[in-house]
Amino acid sequence: MATQSHTTANTEARIIDAARELFIENGFAATSMSDIAARAGINRPVLHYYFRTKDRMFKAVFSGIVDEIVPRVQGIILRHDLPPEERVGMVVDVYYDVLTANPSLPVFLMREMQRDFSNVAATMRELHIVQYFDTIKHGLLGEMDSGQLCRVELRYIFMTFYSMVIMPFVAKNLCCAVLLDEGETFGELLAKWKPHIVTTIVEMLKPKGQG
């Protein structure tokens, strides 16, 4: 019984990994169930046993991406015992880790939002992502109310942070072709860029009057 359960879990994980790779490489619409079965090394009937539709597979893939990022980010941001610069740096590291392993992930997510935002939004609701962000929002607002952080609209923090973190990955080919110094790697560019992200966000959050 335990062996069968283990085999089932392994097969399901292999399918999700294959779907994730293909969705990110080719997009949801251009990926067929046959493509996923072939990448996972199984036949179509086995694939349909685990996932009857491609939409269910998308939800499983999206859930895996969320689990890699959102709880970790929430845990860091709510560490009120740490100074803002340390928390921002740790959050940047989370995204760097995930995006370095999956550099095409931002393009995939933006493409799917353009293709069918209602489906993405429904998936986000099912995964309770809104509750994660509400918890983060209330934590930050509490620090603003207490004077630990400057009161600033969170949408500006959101847009500034994500544009600075994600842009290098979205424009990776351009960055590598135009922005790298001689002998410099993309990873080295990211490391040099990180302090600018931290400084920008911390300056937005720093209470007025602090040096």
Side-chain angles (χ1 to χ4, degrees), residues 11-140:
T11 302
E12 185 170 332
R14 199 162 77 246
I15 292 169
I16 293 171
D17 286 344
R20 174 173 172 153
E21 290 171 4
L22 288 166
F23 288 164
I24 291 175
E25 288 172 16
N26 306 323
F28 178 86
T31 300
S32 69
M33 297 289 271
S34 295
D35 293 333
I36 296 168
R39 178 69 65 94
I42 58 175
N43 57 38
R44 282 285 295 270
V46 172
L47 178 64
H48 284 287
Y49 172 80
Y50 288 94
F51 295 96
R52 292 183 184 176
T53 67
K54 204 165 60 163
D55 279 330
R56 287 191 180 183
M57 231 173 301
F58 176 80
K59 287 180 172 62
V61 168
F62 199 89
S63 175
I65 294 169
V66 168
D67 287 343
E68 280 186 58
I69 299 174
V70 178
R72 294 167 65 189
V73 168
Q74 182 195 62
I76 293 166
I77 292 177
L78 297 182
R79 286 284 307 274
H80 303 313
D81 57 310
L82 297 177
E85 57 268 24
E86 190 169 342
R87 283 183 275 170
V88 174
M90 291 168 69
V91 171
V92 172
D93 287 338
V94 170
Y95 282 97
Y96 272 13
D97 287 345
V98 173
L99 297 178
T100 298
N102 305 276
S104 298
L105 182 58
V107 174
F108 161 68
L109 293 175
M110 287 189 289
R111 184 169 52 206
E112 293 312 310
M113 288 181 188
Q114 290 295 322
R115 182 187 66 83
D116 188 357
F117 181 75
S118 60
N119 183 47
V120 173
T123 301
M124 291 173 68
R125 286 193 296 271
E126 284 183 33
L127 299 175
H128 307 295
I129 296 175
V130 174
Q131 285 91 324
Y132 276 113
F133 282 114
D134 279 345
T135 301
I136 291 171
K137 179 179 77 173
H138 291 309
L140 290 174

Side-chain angles (χ1 to χ4, degrees), residues 118-168:
S118 60
N119 183 47
V120 173
T123 301
M124 291 173 68
R125 286 193 296 271
E126 284 183 33
L127 299 175
H128 307 295
I129 296 175
V130 174
Q131 285 91 324
Y132 276 113
F133 282 114
D134 279 345
T135 301
I136 291 171
K137 179 179 77 173
H138 291 309
L140 290 174
L141 290 176
E143 289 189 78
M144 291 176 185
D145 289 340
S146 68
Q148 293 171 276
L149 299 177
C150 177
R151 181 165 290 282
V152 58
E153 290 193 52
L154 294 180
R155 58 182 175 172
Y156 299 143
I157 298 292
F158 179 91
M159 288 190 288
T160 302
F161 178 82
Y162 283 102
S163 62
M164 295 185 78
V165 170
I166 292 174
M167 190 285 291

Side-chain angles (χ1 to χ4, degrees), residues 171-189:
K172 182 179 179 181
N173 290 339
L174 178 64
C175 289
C176 290
V178 177
L179 301 182
L180 297 185
D181 291 333
E182 186 175 351
E184 187 179 36
T185 67
F186 182 68
E188 289 168 339
L189 175 64

